[in-house]
Amino acid sequence: MGVSINSMGLFGMNAYPVQVEADTLRALPSFDIVGLPDASVKESRDRVRIAMKNCGYEFPSTKITVNLAPADLKKSGPLYDLPIFLAMLLVSGQLSCPELADKAFLGELSLNGGLRPVTGVLPMAIEAKAHGIRELFVPAENAAEAAIVDGLTVYGVEKANSLISHLLGIRPMPPAKLQETEQTGSSCPDFSDVKGQNAAKRALEIAAAGSHNALMIGPPGSGKSMLAKRLPGILPDMTFEESLETTKLYSAAGLIPKNSGLIRVRPFRAPHHTVSAAGLSGGGSIPRPGEISLAHNGVLFLDELPEFSRTAMEILRQPIEDGKVTISRASGSFSYPCTAMVVAAMNPCPCGYFGHPNRPCTCTQAQVTRYLSKVSGPLLDRLDLHIDVQPVEFESLSGTEPSEPSSAVKKRVDQARAIQNERFRGTGVLSNSQIPTAKLSEYCPLDDRASLILKHSFEKLGLSARAYDRVLKVARTIADLAGEEVIHSAQIAEAVQYRSLDRKYWQRG
């Protein structure tokens, strides 16, 4: 009679239950795995065969068929080694266990019977609980992330024989415990390290308070990268929901550190400008999340923006708008979240000194135009704040007066976010940058003077409809930082200022 072992599968970030069924037939010895397995799953035959021998068991000398149900979904990865190993012991009569209906098993086997970690354990653990699984057995290095799921008993298995002893009641294993990780941004560099640049710091504070995208333009050595790397330190602490979603994403990508639990620090991703379009947005023959998804709930920093390929830059346009990336393949569509702050930095020209107050630019006008044209208007339009980062003055560098620390800036950002949380409670909107266009008039009331300034700026600067919306959202954030409900003239003027920098570089006479 055949046997069935519970396991799980992963499709993108979506997990689903898998039944590992095994049965034998009196015929010439063979070992077949069916149910749309890929090459790594088929290789389980050899790993399981040798692991059984090295653990002191005999491999059945009959025709064996293992079915991975449902058979219409492609199975990938080595995570089915452990359930196939158990199925072999049960179907051959070498193991007799009590009811396993509420237990599920995941793990890659080494040839000596040890268990190696697999990817995607957290989303599979969440789905296992939803399907009535009460006990989940995973490799020891994956136990911490699986233990995040409340109401599911997780066991970290180091060797297959240890699992057998536990199932037989000979040597029970202790369940894995949820590891408490400190919620802190103390590992991030501090804004107090940055001398001067008060205007740029103010702009990044606004960006952090409303989760706005930003572009910093300035000469080499002005501190653009230094400022961007300190941005995560002033962002609000992650909520449990954000931490869980980020951890699920990193689990599916196989990027969670060993023995690590919930990710509690906002991601900061800074891909090199040679990254491919697929590396930035996600993809590949076996789709994986790209850099913009790995920055979900954190910051994606694109340094030297014009040096990225045009395809890579333009592929960001839709994810910035939609907050998700959809990758379509013949086997199906994969969707990954990508609600990240996109912060870019660039020089104003190839030599870097166009517009510098002291150093002359050595580029021709054609070279400057060609360099700036690498950043398209539609992409520029999606970056809410355009920040002019000027060279640091000698007095600022040589001064002994301490700069404001990140902790002080973070307090103001937290207060602004608290106002937004109250304003958007129950709407699904998380920050000012996500205000729907239809709700702008409701959430962004202007006084008469502010309305007049916005009208004049719209006509004079030739703002697009998208730029108009983003000016209002930035002004809403500036008003929140000031504790104002109605947007006043000074706040709308500051917001417009952050949309006029492209006229300095992109539209020169």
Side-chain angles (χ1 to χ4, degrees), residues 93-104:
Q94 298 179 75
L95 175 66
S96 178
C97 286
E99 183 62 43
L100 300 177
D102 63 347
K103 298 177 176 62

Side-chain angles (χ1 to χ4, degrees), residues 55 82 106-117 137-143 155-164 166 173-174 259:
C55 289
L82 183 59
L106 309 167
E108 174 189 350
L109 281 173
S110 66
L111 298 185
N112 66 0
L115 261 74
R116 294 194 173 102
F137 296 83
V138 300
E141 293 181 13
N142 293 126
Y155 294 95
V157 184
E158 293 186 355
K159 289 186 173 292
N161 277 337
S162 301
L163 172 61
I164 303 303
H166 173 85
M173 297 183 297
N259 302 312

